[in-house]
Amino acid sequence: MPDNTTTIADLRKKINEFRARRGWGKEDPKDMALSLVLEASELLEHFQWLSGSDVMRNPKIVQAVSEEMSDVLWWLINLADRLGVDLSDAFIQKMQKTGVKYSETLFNPEISEEERTRQYYRIKAETRGGHPLYEPEEMKVEVKEKKRDEVRVDSNQKNSNQKDVDDMLQQLFDLLEKEKVSPKE
Ligand SMILES: [Mg+2]
Protein backbone atom coordinates (compact mmCIF):
# COMPACT_ATOMS: atom_id res chain seq x y z
CA MET A 1 0.00 0.00 0.00
CA PRO A 2 2.22 2.86 -1.17
CA ASP A 3 1.60 6.50 -0.26
CA ASN A 4 0.53 7.52 -3.75
CA THR A 5 -2.46 5.17 -3.75
CA THR A 6 -3.34 5.03 -0.05
CA THR A 7 -5.58 7.61 1.62
CA ILE A 8 -5.80 8.54 5.28
CA ALA A 9 -9.30 7.08 5.19
CA ASP A 10 -7.76 3.73 4.12
CA LEU A 11 -5.39 3.82 7.11
CA ARG A 12 -8.21 4.80 9.45
CA LYS A 13 -10.26 1.83 8.24
CA LYS A 14 -7.34 -0.58 8.67
CA ILE A 15 -6.63 0.66 12.19
CA ASN A 16 -10.29 0.36 13.20
CA GLU A 17 -10.51 -3.19 11.85
CA PHE A 18 -7.26 -4.13 13.60
CA ARG A 19 -8.55 -2.75 16.89
CA ALA A 20 -12.02 -4.32 16.55
CA ARG A 21 -10.51 -7.79 15.97
CA ARG A 22 -8.67 -7.48 19.29
CA GLY A 23 -11.55 -5.98 21.20
CA TRP A 24 -9.56 -2.87 22.01
CA GLY A 25 -11.70 -0.13 23.45
CA LYS A 26 -11.46 3.60 23.26
CA GLU A 27 -8.56 4.94 25.27
CA ASP A 28 -8.57 8.26 27.09
CA PRO A 29 -7.41 10.92 24.58
CA LYS A 30 -4.89 12.08 27.18
CA ASP A 31 -3.27 8.62 27.16
CA MET A 32 -3.32 8.63 23.36
CA ALA A 33 -1.56 12.01 23.20
CA LEU A 34 0.97 10.76 25.74
CA SER A 35 1.56 7.56 23.75
CA LEU A 36 2.08 9.60 20.58
CA VAL A 37 4.86 11.59 22.23
CA LEU A 38 6.40 8.46 23.78
CA GLU A 39 6.61 6.88 20.32
CA ALA A 40 8.16 10.10 18.98
CA SER A 41 10.77 9.78 21.74
CA GLU A 42 11.47 6.19 20.68
CA LEU A 43 12.05 7.54 17.17
CA LEU A 44 14.45 10.13 18.53
CA GLU A 45 16.40 7.50 20.44
CA HIS A 46 17.72 6.06 17.15
CA PHE A 47 19.46 9.38 16.48
CA GLN A 48 21.15 9.56 19.88
CA TRP A 49 24.95 9.85 19.54
CA LEU A 50 24.74 9.73 15.73
CA SER A 51 24.69 12.48 13.12
CA GLY A 52 21.80 12.79 10.68
CA SER A 53 24.04 11.49 7.90
CA ASP A 54 25.10 8.46 10.01
CA VAL A 55 21.41 7.52 10.24
CA MET A 56 20.80 8.13 6.54
CA ARG A 57 23.70 5.88 5.57
CA ASN A 58 22.50 2.96 7.72
CA PRO A 59 19.48 1.08 6.27
CA LYS A 60 18.95 -0.87 9.51
CA ILE A 61 18.53 2.35 11.48
CA VAL A 62 16.30 3.88 8.79
CA GLN A 63 14.13 0.74 9.04
CA ALA A 64 13.96 1.09 12.84
CA VAL A 65 13.10 4.80 12.47
CA SER A 66 10.36 3.99 9.94
CA GLU A 67 8.79 1.60 12.47
CA GLU A 68 8.69 4.32 15.10
CA MET A 69 7.24 6.72 12.51
CA SER A 70 4.48 4.17 11.97
CA ASP A 71 3.86 4.01 15.72
CA VAL A 72 3.56 7.81 15.79
CA LEU A 73 1.15 7.67 12.84
CA TRP A 74 -0.85 4.95 14.60
CA TRP A 75 -1.46 7.18 17.60
CA LEU A 76 -1.99 10.28 15.50
CA ILE A 77 -4.74 8.63 13.49
CA ASN A 78 -6.26 7.02 16.59
CA LEU A 79 -6.27 10.35 18.40
CA ALA A 80 -7.81 12.14 15.40
CA ASP A 81 -10.50 9.45 15.29
CA ARG A 82 -11.19 9.77 19.02
CA LEU A 83 -11.41 13.58 18.88
CA GLY A 84 -13.38 13.65 15.64
CA VAL A 85 -10.65 15.54 13.81
CA ASP A 86 -10.50 15.30 10.03
CA LEU A 87 -6.74 15.15 9.58
CA SER A 88 -6.69 16.25 5.93
CA ASP A 89 -8.87 19.31 6.63
CA ALA A 90 -6.90 20.17 9.76
CA PHE A 91 -3.59 19.79 7.92
CA ILE A 92 -4.58 21.99 4.97
CA GLN A 93 -6.01 24.66 7.29
CA LYS A 94 -2.82 24.66 9.37
CA MET A 95 -0.71 24.91 6.19
CA GLN A 96 -2.68 27.99 5.17
CA LYS A 97 -2.00 29.56 8.57
CA THR A 98 1.70 28.67 8.27
CA GLY A 99 1.72 30.23 4.79
CA VAL A 100 0.48 33.51 6.24
CA LYS A 101 2.89 33.35 9.17
CA TYR A 102 5.93 32.64 6.96
CA SER A 103 4.86 34.58 3.88
CA GLU A 104 6.43 33.97 0.48
CA THR A 105 7.12 37.70 0.19
CA LEU A 106 9.07 37.77 3.43
CA PHE A 107 10.90 34.50 2.83
CA ASN A 108 11.50 34.91 -0.88
CA PRO A 109 14.40 32.78 -2.17
CA GLU A 110 16.49 35.91 -2.93
CA ILE A 111 17.01 37.02 0.69
CA SER A 112 20.28 36.25 2.47
CA GLU A 113 20.59 33.36 4.91
CA GLU A 114 21.24 35.89 7.69
CA GLU A 115 18.02 37.77 6.90
CA ARG A 116 16.10 34.49 6.65
CA THR A 117 17.29 33.44 10.11
CA ARG A 118 16.58 36.90 11.54
CA GLN A 119 13.01 36.91 10.17
CA TYR A 120 12.46 33.37 11.46
CA TYR A 121 13.43 34.26 15.02
CA ARG A 122 11.55 37.59 14.79
CA ILE A 123 8.33 35.65 14.07
CA LYS A 124 9.12 33.17 16.86
CA ALA A 125 9.72 36.08 19.23
CA GLU A 126 6.44 37.77 18.23
CA THR A 127 4.34 34.64 18.66
CA ARG A 128 6.01 33.47 21.88
CA GLY A 129 6.54 36.81 23.55
CA GLY A 130 10.30 36.79 22.93
CA HIS A 131 13.10 34.52 21.74
CA PRO A 132 16.72 34.43 22.95
CA LEU A 133 18.06 34.29 19.38
CA TYR A 134 16.11 37.31 18.15
CA GLU A 135 17.79 40.70 18.38
CA PRO A 136 15.74 43.47 16.78
CA GLU A 137 17.66 46.07 14.73
CA GLU A 138 16.35 48.84 17.05
CA MET A 139 17.67 46.89 20.02
CA LYS A 140 21.12 46.65 18.43
CA VAL A 141 21.16 50.47 18.13
CA GLU A 142 19.85 50.83 21.70
CA VAL A 143 22.57 48.48 23.00
CA LYS A 144 25.24 50.46 21.16
CA GLU A 145 23.90 53.74 22.57
CA LYS A 146 23.66 52.23 26.06
CA LYS A 147 27.27 51.04 25.88
CA ARG A 148 28.37 54.49 24.66
CA ASP A 149 26.47 56.15 27.56
CA GLU A 150 28.02 53.68 30.01
CA VAL A 151 31.47 54.61 28.72
CA ARG A 152 30.57 58.29 29.17
CA VAL A 153 29.28 57.73 32.71
CA ASP A 154 32.34 55.65 33.49
CA SER A 155 34.62 58.36 32.20
CA ASN A 156 32.73 61.05 34.18
CA GLN A 157 32.91 58.86 37.26
CA LYS A 158 36.68 58.49 36.78
CA ASN A 159 37.02 62.25 36.46
CA SER A 160 34.96 62.73 39.60
CA ASN A 161 37.04 60.15 41.52
CA GLN A 162 40.24 61.79 40.33
CA LYS A 163 38.94 65.13 41.53
CA ASP A 164 38.28 63.65 45.00
CA VAL A 165 41.82 62.28 45.14
CA ASP A 166 43.23 65.61 44.00
CA ASP A 167 41.21 67.42 46.69
CA MET A 168 42.40 65.03 49.38
CA LEU A 169 46.00 65.43 48.29
CA GLN A 170 45.64 69.17 48.28
CA GLN A 171 44.21 69.07 51.82
CA LEU A 172 47.13 66.89 52.88
CA PHE A 173 49.67 69.26 51.34
CA ASP A 174 47.93 72.17 53.01
CA LEU A 175 48.17 70.43 56.37
CA LEU A 176 51.84 69.59 55.87
CA GLU A 177 52.51 73.14 54.81
CA LYS A 178 50.78 74.36 57.94
CA GLU A 179 52.84 71.96 60.00
CA LYS A 180 56.01 73.42 58.53
CA VAL A 181 55.01 76.95 59.34
CA SER A 182 53.94 76.23 62.91
CA PRO A 183 55.38 72.92 64.03
CA LYS A 184 53.91 71.30 67.08
CA GLU A 185 56.02 71.10 70.13
MG1 LIG B 1 7.57 2.08 19.20
Side-chain angles (χ1 to χ4, degrees), residues 32-140:
M32 297 168 106
L34 195 144
S35 302
L36 191 158
V37 176
L38 288 177
E39 293 299 344
S41 304
E42 287 180 13
L43 183 155
L44 200 54
E45 203 175 351
H46 293 296
F47 290 84
Q48 193 179 25
W49 317 123
L50 299 173
S51 69
S53 22
D54 287 338
V55 171
M56 284 173 82
R57 277 196 302 265
N58 191 324
K60 280 185 186 170
I61 301 181
V62 172
Q63 171 62 28
V65 168
S66 79
E67 288 181 15
E68 298 308 337
M69 289 166 83
S70 304
D71 287 345
V72 170
L73 188 59
W74 164 277
W75 284 116
L76 185 66
I77 290 177
N78 268 308
L79 183 60
D81 206 37
R82 188 85 174 90
L83 297 177
V85 171
D86 186 303
L87 272 176
S88 302
D89 268 353
F91 187 78
I92 295 299
Q93 278 177 34
K94 185 68 203 313
M95 265 190 86
Q96 283 165 352
K97 276 173 88 173
T98 308
V100 172
K101 189 175 169 185
Y102 301 102
S103 80
E104 287 177 23
T105 319
L106 201 58
F107 287 90
N108 79 74
E110 304 302 318
I111 62 170
S112 68
E113 209 47 47
E114 187 190 357
E115 181 59 9
R116 189 181 307 281
T117 306
R118 205 184 78 77
Q119 290 297 348
Y120 175 76
Y121 286 120
R122 178 185 64 75
I123 292 167
K124 288 259 178 238
E126 279 174 10
T127 50
R128 294 180 183 180
H131 193 286
L133 292 178
Y134 175 57
E135 194 174 298
E137 285 300 323
E138 315 84 67
M139 198 184 277
K140 281 185 192 166

Side-chain angles (χ1 to χ4, degrees), residues 12-26:
R12 245 180 221 252
K13 190 165 173 278
K14 272 203 159 301
I15 288 173
N16 284 332
E17 285 168 2
F18 187 99
R19 292 171 63 86
R21 282 198 298 272
R22 285 158 183 80
W24 288 352
K26 301 255 181 210

